[in-house]
Amino acid sequence: MRSVALVESPAQLVNVLEWAHHTAVDLSQLTTVVLAPRNEMTRLQLRRTTELATAAGHRVHWHEPRRDAASSVVTAASLAGELRGAQRLIVGDPFSGIIQLVLGVLPVSEVVVVDDGTATLEFARLWTAGSSLVRWHSTSLGLRRRHVAALAARRIAAGSRCRLSVFTVMPVQLQGVEVIRNRFSWVRSRFAAPEVKAEADLVGTSLVETGVVDETHYLAGVRTLTEKHHVDRYFAHRKETDAKLSKIAGLGLKVVRPDLPLELLARRTPVGRTLVSFPSTVVHTLPLVLSDTESRMVVCDIADEWFTGRAPRHSEQFLGRVTTSARDTYGLAATAC
């Protein structure tokens, strides 16, 4: 079966690699198309992950749909050729406008959704409700974008002719949909177990940048966690700003801007005996990635007073589901911040 994967982030590309490894798919029948984003750190991680993918025998094509109007036209023409004859479409972000356009018009018989982090939880909720595919922290979308989102949702809705499956680490269940559990077996088989260091690491989040969490409260939380758990290193999220990271460095932490997704970097560098994280995808992925080490994860909930007035009304509920489900699944310890 000819398959095409559409990805826009490093995590999505990693999860396509994991899906291909898990299903033992014929790599000659799989093409992965990277729809490059604008964010420079995301692009860097995507480039590095693409190098690893091609070294593992994957065919990966890089496109620049967001540079200008001309590049979007060139990408559309290239995609038309690459998607021709595809029977299976693997998508890393069902909330992406570009991917939703493809979902709405491409007559494939099968769609596989691979993890784009915690967004998979929201995808499952919206799919079950039969709602349009709109990100949980989106505050406004134009009429055209809402139409595209609704069309994509109908294309993979229950009862449609298109078979849907989900490849995920997240604890989701969808009636009538095959949910395949991602165990990160490709990453563990590809890279040896890392050295575990005595000091703790703190995993950052972009909740400030997306307007969900107040920066002052966030920085105070970082300080508390650093002192409480003897943290010496801060892994920055690829969307965190230089200004905020400068303040974090001022707390005495070594700030690391990873050039690979943390699920890969954690196998290629010494890792803390304790990994502390705010609500984030890594509270579901790193327990699996590091399951053969002595490193253990601790998760910190977001307090009510941290949320900004711009935060979507269901932010607390969504982030609470992220941490609660990780604790239930992996037995993670909780910490106050």
Side-chain angles (χ1 to χ4, degrees):
M1 177 183 290
R2 184 164 183 271
S3 305
V4 177
L6 300 179
V7 302
E8 297 182 333
S9 81
Q12 294 167 29
L13 180 51
V14 169
N15 289 318
V16 169
L17 302 180
E18 289 290 350
W19 172 84
H21 178 77
H22 180 89
T23 59
V25 68
D26 181 355
L27 293 185
S28 69
Q29 294 296 305
L30 172 63
T31 300
T32 298
V33 176
V34 174
L35 302 171
R38 292 190 178 94
N39 179 272
E40 286 302 321
M41 285 307 302
T42 305
R43 292 169 64 85
L44 173 61
Q45 289 190 12
L46 264 171
R47 285 289 189 192
R48 293 280 286 109
T49 308
T50 295
E51 292 170 4
L52 293 176
T54 54
H58 286 255
R59 182 169 56 244
V60 183
H61 297 168
W62 185 281
H63 290 285
E64 296 281 0
R66 297 176 172 89
R67 280 187 171 169
D68 50 39
S71 64
S72 63
V73 172
V74 171
T75 296
S78 297
L79 275 180
E82 290 181 313
L83 292 169
R84 188 176 298 117
Q87 299 157 289
R88 178 196 287 130
L89 184 66
I90 303 128
V91 300
D93 181 7
F95 298 103
S96 159
I98 298 174
I99 290 176
Q100 287 179 348
L101 278 171
V102 173
L103 274 174
V105 301
L106 189 68
V108 292
S109 58
E110 181 179 350
V111 170
V112 180
V113 174
V114 299
D115 263 333
D116 185 35
T118 54
T120 306
L121 295 174
E122 188 68 355
F123 167 75
R125 185 184 72 83
L126 294 173
W127 186 90
T128 300
S131 301
S132 294
L133 301 177
V134 178
R135 298 183 196 280
W136 70 273
H137 53 72
S138 294
T139 55
S140 62
L141 279 182
L143 184 61
R144 181 174 178 274
R145 275 289 289 112
R146 289 194 175 276
H147 173 72
V148 170
L151 185 63
R154 287 198 297 271
R155 182 75 178 83
I156 57 175
S160 69
R161 295 181 179 179
C162 182
R163 178 173 173 260
L164 175 67
S165 62
V166 179
F167 182 72
T168 179
V169 299
M170 300 296 168
V172 299
Q173 291 184 333
L174 302 173
Q175 187 173 3
V177 174
E178 182 183 14
V179 177
I180 307 167
R181 297 300 171 190
N182 180 4
R183 301 300 181 189
F184 281 95
S185 55
W186 179 81
V187 170
R188 291 200 310 277
S189 66
R190 189 79 176 176
F191 306 105
E195 175 189 342
V196 176
K197 64 186 183 69
E199 300 82 6
D201 291 324
L202 177 57
V203 181
T205 175
S206 62
L207 289 173
V208 171
E209 285 72 14
T210 54
V212 175
V213 164
D214 172 75
E215 182 178 294
T216 301
H217 285 296
Y218 182 84
L219 293 174
V222 170
R223 182 189 296 276
T224 298
L225 292 170
T226 297
E227 295 172 351
K228 184 176 181 179
H229 294 281
H230 307 289
V231 174
D232 71 340
R233 186 170 57 176
Y234 181 93
F235 285 117
H237 188 278
R238 53 193 166 81
K239 293 184 178 179
E240 287 187 86
T241 64
D242 290 336
K244 190 181 84 177
L245 293 177
S246 178
K247 295 174 184 177
I248 290 172
L251 299 176
L253 293 174
K254 179 183 178 181
V255 174
V256 177
R257 273 196 177 275
D259 64 349
L260 284 169
L262 204 50
E263 290 79 9
L264 296 178
L265 188 67
R267 301 290 298 190
R268 294 162 62 91
T269 186
V271 66
R273 189 170 302 279
T274 301
L275 285 168
V276 187
S277 179
F278 299 102
S280 167
T281 301
V282 299
V283 301
H284 284 271
T285 59
L286 290 186
L288 293 170
V289 170
L290 298 171
S291 60
D292 56 349
T293 75
E294 294 180 357
S295 182
R296 294 295 176 262
M297 178 147 271
V298 174
V299 61
C300 175
D301 282 317
I302 301 297
D304 292 347
E305 60 268 22
W306 286 30
F307 292 102
T308 68
R310 295 172 292 146
R313 56 183 175 80
H314 61 293
S315 298
E316 182 180 0
Q317 180 184 20
F318 175 79
L319 294 174
R321 272 191 335 189
V322 172
T323 55
T324 300
S325 56
R327 289 184 191 123
D328 292 345
T329 304
Y330 305 108
L332 303 188
T335 186
C337 55

